[in-house]
């Protein structure tokens, strides 16, 4: 649908409009009494969330490629129906296809509370069936207010059971990676992707990042808190329907391998991903749905 048509059907006076951006990508621009946000319909990808009383919450890479077929680097990529490389065929798109498809707008709404709702939809098409043989529906509901809430419902529309993994692969902006810590994992088990997925127990009440980190914390729905001294703020990440949290920072050497990241950009973000991966993958019987939600709130550090 063209942005002209989207504006006719879904724009909200003074709050929501759609623009054509680089690479033919359409972006929903939201601005209300609480916050502003940008959500790309390509990938249903939140590119920016900025509460009116805070700085930008998400990091978008300065070298992000805006091109249909290439995932956007930064913000909140949607990983579905698999996470990482496909288990059976590693020529299929990394982290699934949802982040490289155009999603449909199905609803927009301005609430009396001042929050704005945008609902996006992705379902079976010849393109998805080529990559994954199951009929499905994904509905993502974004609520932009003082907090950013994302509710993601996946439904099995096929006649057989299917399994999927998923992640809201969130890139949180940091002032200086060496000045942050993340709490909420003490006692949880994680698979260390940098050490053959070794099962390890987290002993620390909060983790600091001083080297490459790539961990899948499992069987945990705990709140995580990102404390950032440089930005004098904390970000609270609260989730439901998610049993995994992935923590990733590529650090110096691995950053250099990403063409769409500046060499020193590892310093500017930490990925804390609300997910269901590995042992926590979801199985849906025909007609069944699963909901996962994420709420992101910014608070002063003290
Ligand atoms: O979530 C961590 C991770 O799976 C890493 O292994 C990593 O390379 C990354 O996500 C980024 O993946 P991408 O396909 O976006 O380059």
């Amino acid at each position: 649908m063209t942005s002209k048509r989207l504006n006719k059907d879904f724009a909200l006076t003074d709050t929501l409009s759609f623009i054509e951006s680089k690479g033919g990508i359409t972006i929903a621009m939201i601005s209300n009494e609480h916050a502003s946000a940008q959500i790309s319909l390509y990938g249903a990808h939140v590119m920016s969330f900025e509460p009116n009383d805070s700085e930008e919450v998400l990091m978008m890479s300065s070298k992000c490629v805006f091109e249909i077929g290439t995932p956007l680097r930064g913000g909140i990529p949607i990983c579905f129906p698999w996470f990482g490389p496909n288990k059976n065929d590693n020529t299929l798109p990394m982290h699934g296809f949802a982040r490289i498809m155009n999603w449909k707008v199905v609803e927009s709404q301005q609430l009396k509370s001042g929050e704005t709702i945008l609902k996006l939809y992705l379902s079976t098409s010849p393109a998805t069936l080529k990559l994954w043989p199951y009929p499905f529906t994904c509905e993502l509901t974004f609520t932009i207010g003082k907090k950013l809430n994302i509710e993601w419902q996946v439904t099995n529309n096929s006649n057989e059971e299917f399994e999927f993994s998923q992640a809201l692969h969130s890139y949180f902006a940091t002032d200086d990676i060496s000045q942050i810590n993340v709490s909420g994992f003490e006692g949880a088990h994680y698979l260390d992707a940098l050490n053959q997925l070794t099962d390890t127990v987290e002993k620390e009440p909060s983790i600091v990042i001083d080297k490459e980190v790539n961990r899948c914390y499992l069987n945990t729905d705990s709140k995580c808190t990102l404390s950032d001294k440089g930005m004098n703020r904390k970000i609270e990440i609260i989730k439901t329907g998610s049993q995994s949290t992935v923590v990733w920072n590529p650090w110096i050497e691995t950053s250099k391998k990403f063409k769409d990241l500046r060499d020193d950009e590892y310093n500017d973000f930490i990925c804390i991903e609300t997910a269901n991966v590995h042992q926590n993958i979801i199985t849906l019987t025909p007609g069944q749905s699963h909901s996962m939600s994420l709420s992101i709130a910014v608070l002063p550090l003290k």
Side-chain angles (χ1 to χ4, degrees), residues 73 83 94-95 99 169 171 214 246 248 258 273:
R73 173 74 60 204
F83 180 80
M94 171 86 170
H95 289 320
R99 65 178 182 164
H169 196 305
Y171 289 68
N214 192 350
V246 180
W248 178 60
F258 288 91
E273 308 167 30

Side-chain angles (χ1 to χ4, degrees), residues 49-118:
F49 171 59
E50 192 170 348
N52 291 345
D53 56 1
S54 162
E55 286 176 63
E56 176 61 56
V57 170
L58 303 171
M59 177 268 189
M60 280 299 289
S61 168
S62 61
K63 294 180 80 180
C64 175
V65 176
F66 293 91
E67 188 179 83
I68 303 292
T70 304
L72 304 178
R73 173 74 60 204
I76 310 185
I78 304 294
C79 304
F80 173 88
W82 58 86
F83 180 80
N86 182 283
K87 268 193 287 179
N88 306 317
D89 180 354
N90 66 11
T91 65
L92 293 179
M94 171 86 170
H95 289 320
F97 51 74
R99 65 178 182 164
I100 50 168
M101 299 233 160
N102 281 312
W103 291 55
K104 279 193 186 123
V105 180
V106 285
E107 192 186 322
S108 63
Q109 211 187 325
Q110 185 59 26
L111 303 181
K112 287 210 177 80
S113 58
E115 295 169 310
T116 308
I117 290 184
L118 179 69

